[in-house]
Amino acid sequence: MQPKERVLSFEAALSVVEQHAATVRPPDTETIALDASSSRILAELIAADRDVPPFPRAMRDGYAIRASDLANLPASLKVLGEIKAGGDPSALHVEPGQAVSIMTGAPAPVGADSVVMVEHTSSAGDVVEVAKGVASGDNIVPTGAEARRGDSLLAPGTRIDEAVIAVAASVGKARIQAYVRPKVAILSTGDELVGIGDIPGPNQIRNSNSHSLAAQVRKAGGEPAILPIAPDEKTRLRSLIEEGLQSDLLLLSGGVSVGRYDFVEQVLEDLGAEFFFTGALIQPGRPVVFGRVRETYFFGLPGNPVSTMVTFELFASPILEALSGATPRPLRFLHAKLKTAITRKPGLKRFLPATLSGEFENAEVELTPWQGSGDLASTARANCYIVVAADREHFAAGEWAPVLLR
Ligand code: AMP
Ligand code: MG
């Protein structure tokens, strides 16, 4: 039996997805090497193991001085000695009229309240002449200014990137707790499909969706498992869907439109699925389906390759990120100036493959010429999607339009 139709606006569909994402329990954790953790999700709280910085740190090469000594310029100060990065300042104590030569990253000596940059000084023997004043505190980061020992630096759910790795390394975490990556079954359906290693017959095409989806799954933090291609025939389709439901998430491609051989929804209905929506008012990707069989969420993504990619990005990735233990993040978008006008019939929110160019202050975007949601090569040449609201008929050239990054 076909499930009851439930077509939502883009916003309503996304909010349904986000509500479910919020209820997902975080996965198990495992210990991994920090250097192998890039793009994984942090599963522990990382705290400062000591004050940061652990000593008053000089931010410049120059002279550690007392700012009050520079009231009248130029000022001549007696140089007591030198402290380099890693050096011990304990033997040096800066009194009025004195200075200590200091390097970036070195601990400031007692008595000095600031560092004057070497560029503003000239030295002769043990005397330095300073040509420019500083305020007390300039160019020294006080002990504990960035964090106190025990302060939380990173929360569980953080996606690990180079900046996160730098923090973990700085507190001595060579190994960290990460969430186990969720397993995502990928099931492409269609009698016309053959594997990428096979020679297609004259009326067949190669299965590209299983592979583009696997790449998107990996990018979003999941571990893809590509199932054999399902034919447009209920018995075999059902047994492959049952196999896919053993994973943490099932992604189907194709077979969710209104064609006579689109059996995906019927088979899922027969398996007792709940359907949260069976379509969204978007283009490409209108027939997208979201539901759950027992504990396992599934998405029925339309088979048109660009529709598959866009609907994964919009709807499947928030659920996958939740299953990965990641804190939800907003869609990545920006605004750019349209190079040419766009006119579309209202009623659908559109995500149109486009090319972004220009500079920071003057980002420009242009539709990529394409032959519709099957046109893979022009989609690969695009690097973003122009987003056209459902109630918007016309954008003039030169107008700023929202752009979703890929
Ligand atoms: P469907 O959603 O099953 O109606 O398929 C829509 C269009 O996408 C048809 O032209 C299919 O041949 C094509 N298509 C479906 N699945 C795939 C796939 N896995 N790889 C490439 N193209 C596909
Ligand atoms: Mg099909």
Side-chain angles (χ1 to χ4, degrees):
M1 226 180 56
Q2 197 73 16
K4 200 161 152 279
E5 243 211 317
R6 185 148 187 247
V7 178
L8 304 181
S9 70
F10 166 71
E11 288 75 15
L14 185 59
S15 122
V16 165
V17 165
E18 285 169 349
Q19 279 162 35
H20 283 277
T23 67
V24 166
R25 270 180 288 118
D28 293 337
T29 68
E30 60 183 336
T31 304
I32 59 171
L34 181 63
D35 285 327
S37 70
S38 185
S39 88
R40 298 288 300 268
I41 307 300
L42 187 65
E44 62 174 312
L45 189 147
I46 303 251
D49 63 334
R50 53 186 188 148
D51 289 351
V52 188
F55 50 82
R57 183 176 61 211
M59 293 167 71
R60 303 283 184 190
D61 297 318
Y63 291 86
I65 49 94
R66 303 167 77 100
S68 55
D69 278 348
L70 305 185
N72 298 309
L73 295 172
S76 283
L77 304 172
K78 180 165 180 345
V79 180
L80 300 179
E82 175 189 274
I83 308 171
K84 48 185 190 167
D88 178 4
S90 59
L92 295 164
H93 193 137
V94 178
E95 302 289 349
Q98 299 180 336
V100 168
S101 169
I102 197 162
M103 313 301 146
T104 302
V110 172
D113 61 7
S114 43
V115 168
V116 61
M117 288 161 68
V118 70
E119 290 85 338
H120 305 307
T121 67
S122 55
S123 73
D126 63 353
V127 173
V128 62
E129 192 177 270
V130 182
K132 194 167 178 235
V134 290
S136 176
D138 276 5
N139 299 322
I140 293 180
V141 187
T143 303
E146 291 167 20
R148 286 288 176 189
R149 180 191 155 94
D151 279 357
S152 156
L153 302 178
L154 299 167
T158 302
R159 184 174 298 274
I160 299 173
D161 63 8
E162 57 276 23
V164 170
I165 287 178
V167 172
S170 76
V171 300
K173 300 284 295 183
R175 298 175 70 73
I176 51 147
Q177 291 277 107
Y179 288 119
V180 173
R181 273 187 286 237
K183 296 218 167 26
V184 182
I186 296 172
L187 179 55
S188 281
T189 73
D191 281 343
E192 74 279 32
L193 302 176
V194 300
I196 50 175
D198 300 328
I199 311 278
N203 304 310
Q204 295 179 310
I205 59 167
R206 293 192 185 88
N207 168 20
S208 58
N209 289 347
S210 290
H211 303 281
S212 59
L213 282 172
Q216 287 181 292
V217 164
R218 265 189 219 101
K219 226 200 235 177
E223 198 177 296
I226 297 178
L227 295 176
I229 294 164
D232 294 317
E233 180 274 311
K234 286 195 206 172
T235 311
R236 175 78 176 136
L237 179 59
R238 179 177 171 128
S239 80
L240 284 167
I241 287 181
E242 285 187 292
E243 189 182 335
L245 289 168
Q246 306 302 311
S247 291
D248 299 307
L249 176 66
L250 169 61
L251 300 178
L252 293 123
S253 131
V256 289
S257 299
V258 293
R260 198 167 299 139
Y261 301 96
D262 290 331
F263 294 134
V264 166
E265 285 165 88
Q266 289 178 42
V267 169
L268 285 161
E269 171 87 6
D270 294 345
L271 286 168
E274 295 170 79
F275 289 86
F276 306 125
F277 54 80
T278 62
L281 296 175
I282 58 171
Q283 191 252 338
R286 193 180 196 282
V288 60
V289 175
F290 174 40
R292 183 169 58 190
V293 179
R294 295 178 293 275
E295 296 280 87
T296 310
Y297 287 107
F298 64 82
F299 285 90
L301 306 176
N304 250 316
V306 182
S307 312
T308 314
M309 277 179 221
V310 170
T311 49
F312 174 92
E313 203 53 49
L314 297 176
F315 302 119
S317 84
I319 292 286
L320 178 49
E321 295 198 344
L323 289 166
S324 322
T327 313
R329 58 175 172 181
L331 289 173
R332 279 157 299 163
F333 73 97
L334 48 77
H335 281 81
K337 220 181 256 184
L338 289 173
K339 277 194 181 170
T340 48
I342 297 181
T343 304
R344 288 287 182 280
K345 271 203 229 116
L348 298 176
K349 186 156 183 135
R350 294 174 198 265
F351 299 87
L352 307 171
T355 314
L356 185 68
S357 59
E359 305 97 49
F360 286 128
E361 292 79 14
N362 194 26
E364 290 184 310
V365 69
E366 179 171 42
L367 288 178
T368 313
W370 68 321
Q371 306 302 316
S373 35
D375 191 343
L376 279 174
S378 60
T379 305
R381 280 191 290 271
N383 55 18
C384 63
Y385 301 97
I386 295 175
V387 183
V388 182
D391 58 1
R392 193 70 195 254
E393 240 172 294
H394 185 73
F395 273 104
E399 258 191 89
W400 292 85
V403 170
L404 180 69
L405 297 176
R406 193 159 77 196

